[in-house]
Amino acid sequence: MDQLLNDFSPGLFFMQAIILVILILLMRKFAWKPILTSLQDREDGIQGALDAAEAAKKEMQNLKADNERILNEARAQRDSMLKEAKELKENMITEAKEEAQAQADKIIVQAQATIASEKKAALAELKSNVAGLSVEIAEKVVRQELSNKDKQLELVESMLGEVTLN
């Protein structure tokens, strides 16, 4: 430290101080403003990038929310369509069953009507055959002697034995 104090020159110190002040003034006039402007521009650019990133983040959140909403709507629509399809299927099955039942009932009614008409026809034919047989028996009985009761009974029994009902 002593050597430093021994080598100290006030003139040199004064000159260096003046050069430093001039250098600071020149720097302030010519370099300080562009450096500060450059730093401010850089800070503004960084802030703009941060703002843009934040806006992009918000936009992504909005898009994600929209996508989720659209996806939920699509799911709801799909569920609705599936429900409608199930109801349509059930209605078609019910209608087909009802139609089949109606056809079966119609066929049963027709079959019962056919059976009834055939039964009436068979009864009418049977009555006709019985009437014809009765007339034949009466005719044969009349031809025989009407005075002899034993012969009449014998004749009726023999005729009844000859007649076979189908």
Side-chain angles (χ1 to χ4, degrees):
M1 190 81 132
D2 283 334
Q3 185 181 4
L4 215 72
L5 287 177
N6 288 337
D7 288 340
F8 181 72
S9 167
L12 183 64
F13 177 74
F14 182 67
M15 282 303 273
Q16 285 181 346
I18 290 176
I19 290 174
L20 182 62
V21 169
I22 292 173
L23 186 62
I24 289 175
L25 288 177
L26 285 174
M27 287 279 282
R28 186 172 182 194
K29 182 167 184 159
F30 294 111
W32 193 257
K33 199 171 195 179
I35 290 173
L36 286 178
T37 305
S38 172
L39 287 175
Q40 186 63 38
D41 289 345
R42 183 168 183 215
E43 186 179 331
D44 291 344
I46 291 171
Q47 188 62 42
L50 288 175
D51 292 343
E54 185 66 29
K57 183 179 177 183
K58 286 181 182 178
E59 184 66 26
M60 287 299 290
Q61 288 174 346
N62 289 340
L63 288 174
K64 186 176 180 182
D66 285 346
N67 286 341
E68 190 68 29
R69 180 185 51 79
I70 290 170
L71 185 62
N72 288 337
E73 288 176 2
R75 284 182 183 147
Q77 191 175 23
R78 179 201 64 199
D79 291 342
S80 172
M81 291 173 77
L82 285 174
K83 183 179 176 183
E84 288 177 15
K86 284 180 183 178
E87 289 175 359
L88 182 62
K89 178 187 86 167
E90 289 173 2
N91 287 342
M92 289 176 70
I93 289 172
T94 303
E95 288 175 6
K97 284 181 180 179
E98 289 173 357
E99 186 177 330
Q101 186 64 39
Q103 294 240 346
D105 291 344
K106 184 179 176 183
I107 290 172
I108 289 172
V109 167
Q110 288 176 348
Q112 288 174 343
T114 303
I115 290 170
S117 67
E118 287 182 10
K119 182 178 176 183
K120 285 181 184 178
L123 284 175
E125 185 179 338
L126 183 62
K127 285 180 183 179
S128 161
N129 285 342
V130 168
L133 287 175
S134 296
V135 169
E136 280 182 30
I137 291 173
E139 184 181 322
K140 286 184 181 180
V141 168
V142 170
R143 283 188 193 161
Q144 294 290 327
E145 274 183 51
L146 293 175
S147 60
N148 190 352
K149 276 200 174 230
D150 289 336
K151 249 185 171 184
Q152 286 179 4
L153 286 175
E154 188 181 315
L155 181 62
V156 169
E157 286 180 17
S158 69
M159 286 187 175
L160 284 177
E162 292 176 7
V163 174
T164 57
L165 294 175
N166 293 340

